[in-house]
């Protein structure tokens, strides 16, 4: 310990400084719900799950985390959707101004193991609202902003997602894979904003959220 302190002191004297370490924050989602720190529209559904085997919430809509302003860094989260065709979309919303202006990275679990190989390539997707939704991006840039996931979970099981945002590059990893399932360049000039959970169609499940900001 003394040797380390001496080394750090010598580096400081020479004008050499180490970058500040990023602080990982874990979010207990049911506790945030109890404390009214999940900000949702009145029409949204948010409930705590008691049978998930982990501290989880089930929800639909966009639910912002009160007081969280996300710029860039690493997001980790467990997700569970539904094996119901065109009825289960879930992920995260970030760099938000409100629910109509934000970036969204989301999964379509019903496509994970679909027999149609093209549909499997629509399993994870990025969009930037309001102007660049999935339909516009699929028409103008097919298979650039959506892709298959690897490894492939079952549609109705929990899976882990790691999202790494550095500057304007977003990389998405599934179940701790070393290879990204999707890598895209963000499509707007916002560098920070609201952060939340995204769920459309049927209610979907979320747990074990952590955020590690990038210095």
């Amino acid at each position: 310990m003394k040797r380390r302190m001496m080394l750090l002191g010598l580096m400081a004297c020479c004008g050499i400084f180490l970058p500040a370490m990023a602080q990982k924050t874990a979010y207990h989602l049911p506790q945030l719900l109890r404390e009214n720190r999940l900000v949702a529209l009145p029409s949204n559904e948010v409930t705590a799950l008691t049978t998930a085997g982990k501290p989880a919430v089930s929800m639909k809509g966009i639910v912002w985390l009160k007081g969280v302003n996300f710029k860039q860094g690493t997001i980790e989260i467990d997700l569970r959707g539904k094996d119901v065709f065109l009825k289960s979309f879930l992920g995260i919303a970030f760099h938000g101004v409100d629910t109509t202006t934000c970036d969204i990275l989301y999964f379509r679990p019903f496509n994970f193991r679909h027999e149609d190989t093209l549909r499997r390539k629509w399993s994870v997707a990025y969009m930037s609202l309001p102007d660049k939704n999935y339909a516009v991006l699929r028409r103008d840039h097919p298979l650039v902003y959506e892709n298959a996931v690897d490894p492939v979970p079952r549609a109705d099981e929990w899976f882990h997602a790691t999202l790494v945002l550095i500057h304007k590059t977003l990389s998405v990893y599934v179940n701790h894979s070393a290879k990204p399932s999707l890598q895209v360049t963000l499509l707007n000039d916002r560098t920070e904003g609201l952060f939340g959970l995204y769920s459309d169609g049927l209610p979907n499940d979320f747990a074990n959220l952590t955020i590690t900001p990038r210095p």
Side-chain angles (χ1 to χ4, degrees):
M1 183 66 176
K2 183 183 293 186
R3 186 175 181 179
R4 172 178 169 81
M5 294 302 296
M6 291 176 60
L7 178 59
L8 291 175
L10 179 61
M11 292 173 66
C13 290
C14 296
I16 302 172
F17 297 93
L18 294 174
M21 295 296 291
Q23 179 65 48
K24 178 187 289 188
T25 301
Y27 296 90
H28 190 288
L29 296 176
Q31 182 176 336
L32 295 186
L33 178 61
R34 290 193 298 269
E35 296 174 350
N36 296 316
R37 292 168 60 194
L38 296 181
V39 182
L41 297 175
S43 58
N44 290 358
E45 303 173 15
V46 189
T47 58
L49 288 180
T50 58
T51 59
K54 58 181 75 184
V57 295
S58 180
M59 54 153 286
K60 63 185 301 185
I62 293 179
V63 175
W64 303 114
L65 273 66
K66 187 175 182 179
V68 176
N69 179 68
F70 179 73
K71 296 180 181 179
Q72 58 179 331
T74 300
I75 300 156
E76 300 199 53
I77 190 167
D78 290 341
L79 305 163
R80 181 172 64 179
K82 303 287 194 303
D83 191 8
V84 182
F85 188 60
L86 298 179
K87 292 293 185 179
S88 182
F89 308 84
L90 72 163
I92 61 104
F94 62 100
H95 289 181
V97 176
D98 51 36
T99 56
T100 63
T101 305
C102 59
D103 283 11
I104 295 175
L105 186 285
Y106 68 105
F107 297 86
R108 305 181 182 105
F110 53 84
N111 281 336
F112 284 176
R113 301 189 178 192
H114 200 283
E115 61 184 12
D116 185 331
T117 57
L118 178 57
R119 281 205 165 274
R120 290 203 294 271
K121 294 178 181 178
W122 295 343
S123 290
V124 57
Y126 161 82
M127 60 182 175
S128 186
L129 301 181
D131 300 323
K132 297 178 177 65
N133 63 23
Y134 87 92
V136 170
L137 294 178
R138 184 178 294 173
R139 180 196 67 202
D140 296 343
H141 308 281
L143 299 181
V144 172
Y145 295 98
E146 51 192 346
N147 198 17
V149 297
D150 182 26
V152 187
R154 295 199 313 270
D156 57 354
E157 72 178 1
W158 285 102
F159 65 96
H160 186 80
T162 303
L163 287 64
V164 181
L165 177 60
I166 300 176
H167 302 305
K168 291 178 71 69
T169 300
L170 176 63
S171 304
V172 184
Y173 304 83
V174 172
N175 284 343
H176 308 286
S177 173
K179 179 182 177 181
S181 290
L182 183 68
Q183 189 169 77
V184 298
T185 300
L186 301 190
L187 293 173
N188 63 76
D189 294 327
R190 294 188 303 274
T191 57
E192 61 183 290
L194 299 173
F195 175 89
L197 311 176
Y198 168 81
S199 176
D200 197 10
L202 297 170
N204 297 288
D205 305 335
F206 301 78
N208 296 333
L209 169 66
T210 67
I211 300 176
T212 306
R214 186 172 187 267

